[in-house]
Amino acid sequence: MVDDLPRAVLGFATGATPGPTYRALGTLVAAGEVDFTGVSVFLLDEYLGLGATDPRSYRATIRREAAGPLGVPDGAVFGPEADAADPQEACQRYEDQIHAAGGIDVLMLGIGRNGHVGFNEPGTPFNLRTHVTTLCDATRVDNARYFGSVADVPTYAITQGPATICDARRILLVATGAAKAPAIARALTGEVDEDCPASILRTHPEVRVLVDPDAAVGLGEHVRRVARLGEG
Ligand code: F6R
């Protein structure tokens, strides 16, 4: 893909799920098989109040664990300015930056146990663009490992909204582990509705979903049905 689009605009999720992908890409870069130097990276979300130099910020994490090893220059890594005096303005600026870059070519997403994508928690209107969001308790619990305790996890974040996410030309949703099975089943086989933010991906024409066997447990029937259709 990067060979096809040497100046690709990529959207990167943070969290545990994409780590192996970023590391695998880093290995290819180290072997000289791909070149990310012309690529730019846009973060999916950021904790409100954390500046880019805070090691717990998603901007610092993506630089350390993805962009850096891939050889993407720091100046080509963009994220919401979550420590801005006016977060609403920061949201609009981020939308403008994505637009000025020509939009996101490929967006990599994980999924929360509650079906969130980005930090769009259940109930987020599908038409929202980049906005300030309140994190659910479950999300703060899941991310406590990066902060030492739940109490230290920020309560608010800035996230690309469902409408921003769906503007990406291509989307890759990755889910691993049994804890994600209910969310994956609900997103892919349940109703498309705002109670399950990831379900909006079913309205997008270019989505790939990669799940390991544990995360796919709830898809048994459905996957067999798709496989049978494929044979036919
Ligand atoms: C991260 C993000 C979240 C995570 C999701 C899964 O930037 O936007 O939606 O992708 O919470 O997190 P992990 O991969 O840690 O299970």
Side-chain angles (χ1 to χ4, degrees):
M1 181 279 308
V2 182
D3 287 345
D4 296 347
L5 292 173
R7 303 201 61 78
V9 178
L10 304 181
F12 277 4
T14 320
T17 308
T21 304
Y22 299 146
R23 285 194 287 280
L25 291 174
T27 304
L28 293 178
V29 168
E33 291 183 34
V34 281
D35 178 6
F36 281 81
T37 50
V39 160
S40 49
V41 166
F42 281 80
L43 270 64
L44 187 56
D45 40 24
E46 183 61 275
Y47 293 108
L48 196 74
L50 296 196
T53 55
D54 187 316
R56 301 164 306 174
S57 71
Y58 277 175
R59 182 98 67 106
T61 304
I62 286 290
R63 277 182 177 156
R64 198 171 52 236
E65 296 177 6
L70 296 184
V72 179
D74 272 1
V77 180
F78 300 87
E81 289 163 64
D83 58 346
D86 185 336
Q88 305 300 339
E89 273 181 25
C91 293
Q92 186 54 52
R93 265 200 304 281
Y94 197 51
E95 285 284 325
D96 294 345
Q97 283 178 315
I98 295 172
H99 184 72
I104 292 174
D105 293 304
V106 182
L107 175 60
M108 178 151 176
L109 298 175
I111 185 169
R113 283 185 300 141
N114 62 3
H116 74 209
V117 280
F119 277 143
N120 295 289
E121 302 286 27
T124 303
F126 278 162
N127 65 354
L128 279 194
R129 305 198 66 84
T130 299
H131 64 282
V132 177
T133 179
T134 306
L135 299 178
C136 288
D137 290 345
T139 301
R140 296 182 66 234
V141 168
D142 285 347
N143 287 288
R145 61 192 190 277
Y146 302 113
F147 288 85
S149 76
V150 179
D152 289 328
V153 180
T155 308
Y156 304 100
I158 293 182
T159 183
Q160 291 187 30
T164 318
I165 287 172
C166 282
D167 275 352
R169 293 180 186 92
R170 284 178 267 181
I171 296 177
L172 180 63
L173 172 67
V174 182
T176 53
K180 302 295 175 67
I184 282 291
R186 167 85 172 79
L188 301 187
T189 66
E191 294 292 312
V192 174
D193 70 34
E194 292 169 350
D195 285 339
C196 180
S199 67
I200 195 176
L201 301 177
R202 306 231 305 276
T203 67
H204 191 286
E206 286 285 346
V207 178
R208 302 277 162 91
V209 181
L210 290 181
V211 284
D212 72 358
D214 288 339
V217 159
L219 296 177
E221 269 275 330
H222 189 73
V223 167
R224 275 197 295 279
R225 210 162 50 232
V226 171
R228 274 202 304 274
L229 282 175
E231 283 162 18

